Amino acid sequence: MRAYARLAALTALFAISPGAFAADTFLFAGTGSSGVSQDLVLGLSNGSSVTLTTGQALFTPGTLNQGWWGFDNANFNANDSIYVGALQPDPLDPAYLHRNFFTFSLAGITPGSIISAVLRINDVGVSSGSFPMTYSLFDVTTDSQTLNFNTGVNHSIYDDLGSGKLYAAQVVTKELSGSYAIGLNNAAIADLNAAAGRFFSLGGTLDTPPLVVTEPSALALLGIGLAAASLGRQRRHPLAPTSDQLFQD
């Protein structure tokens, strides 16, 4: 290979951003299935607060009111892990995506009394992947009992967990540990007040970083173009000497 073409190829290689190579991305994979419940902390208009948990008013005895639904990965009802995100082998393939959910009983809560709300995820377990990533929470229209019988695959429920009213969108910049708090917005507070006395669910989805080649890729394209041009000249004029022949191997 001519040194000129080799230089162009090396330019292309080193100009590709590391961000172009995506890894599997997920959050909260270590929670659930071990009795770790999640909290909904409500601030009330009388100045007090109340903490609800996914361990109250269970739909399935021994299984917390939390879990996940996969786009193409079947779950089972006794699994209350709140895994969310993408799994190997291809984190950008929707078939490997998962969304999680949390259900709380608002029994005893007076309608109109809630003025603030925070979802507190306890013992977040394992988080991995490319940062930053955005974890978002949405309203859930699926019946709470149906939602918590998270067996098999259900595309309608999966879609429900990542669409509708946005309750929160939190950027995660590093590996998580301990307890993780997410403040809910006014839309969530209004829906919580409307659901007082009944069950209330939230759906969670993780936006995985796209497979992008950042600005240095312009140099990569230039290098590839130069390499191609050099090889093209070599094929068209195999006998005609050119100045870059001085740099032959």
Side-chain angles (χ1 to χ4, degrees), residues 100-117:
N100 60 9
F101 67 86
F102 313 87
T103 298
F104 300 93
S105 171
L106 301 183
I109 301 296
T110 304
S113 66
I114 302 170
I115 60 174
S116 67

Side-chain angles (χ1 to χ4, degrees), residues 5 8-13 16 217-231:
L10 289 174
T11 301
L13 176 63
I16 295 176
S217 63
L219 293 175
L221 293 176
L222 175 61
I224 292 170
L226 291 173
S230 173
L231 294 174

Side-chain angles (χ1 to χ4, degrees), residues 23-211:
D24 56 312
T25 301
F26 55 86
L27 285 175
F28 316 137
T31 54
S33 300
S34 59
V36 181
S37 60
Q38 319 310 318
D39 300 332
L40 183 63
V41 183
L42 303 178
L44 304 180
S45 54
N46 63 6
S48 65
S49 65
V50 60
T51 299
L52 310 177
T53 81
T54 55
Q56 297 167 332
L58 298 179
F59 289 101
T60 302
T63 301
L64 300 170
N65 292 342
Q66 61 187 46
W68 58 261
W69 286 88
F71 181 89
D72 199 30
N73 186 21
N75 201 354
F76 55 97
N77 185 40
N79 180 23
D80 51 21
S81 170
I82 55 172
Y83 172 90
V84 63
L87 185 65
Q88 295 176 351
D90 185 353
L92 300 180
D93 187 335
Y96 301 101
L97 297 179
H98 302 73
R99 291 171 177 171
N100 60 9
F101 67 86
F102 313 87
T103 298
F104 300 93
S105 171
L106 301 183
I109 301 296
T110 304
S113 66
I114 302 170
I115 60 174
S116 67
V118 173
L119 174 66
R120 186 170 62 206
I121 298 176
N122 302 304
D123 184 23
V124 295
V126 179
S127 59
S128 178
S130 303
F131 297 95
M133 59 182 81
T134 302
Y135 179 63
S136 301
L137 292 168
F138 292 89
D139 75 325
V140 176
T141 60
T142 303
D143 173 75
S144 296
Q145 187 167 8
T146 302
L147 176 67
N148 280 270
F149 188 70
N150 50 327
T151 299
V153 173
N154 188 309
H155 288 168
S156 294
I157 296 178
Y158 174 85
D159 290 342
D160 188 18
L161 297 180
S163 63
K165 294 181 187 178
L166 179 67
Y167 286 163
Q170 192 143 312
V171 177
V172 182
T173 59
K174 61 182 180 179
E175 298 270 338
L176 302 178
S177 61
S179 181
Y180 189 66
I182 305 172
L184 305 184
N185 61 22
N186 289 334
I189 294 171
D191 286 353
L192 279 162
N193 278 305
R198 298 180 283 115
F199 284 101
F200 178 83
S201 299
L202 306 93
T205 182
L206 192 68
D207 294 330
T208 56
L211 186 63

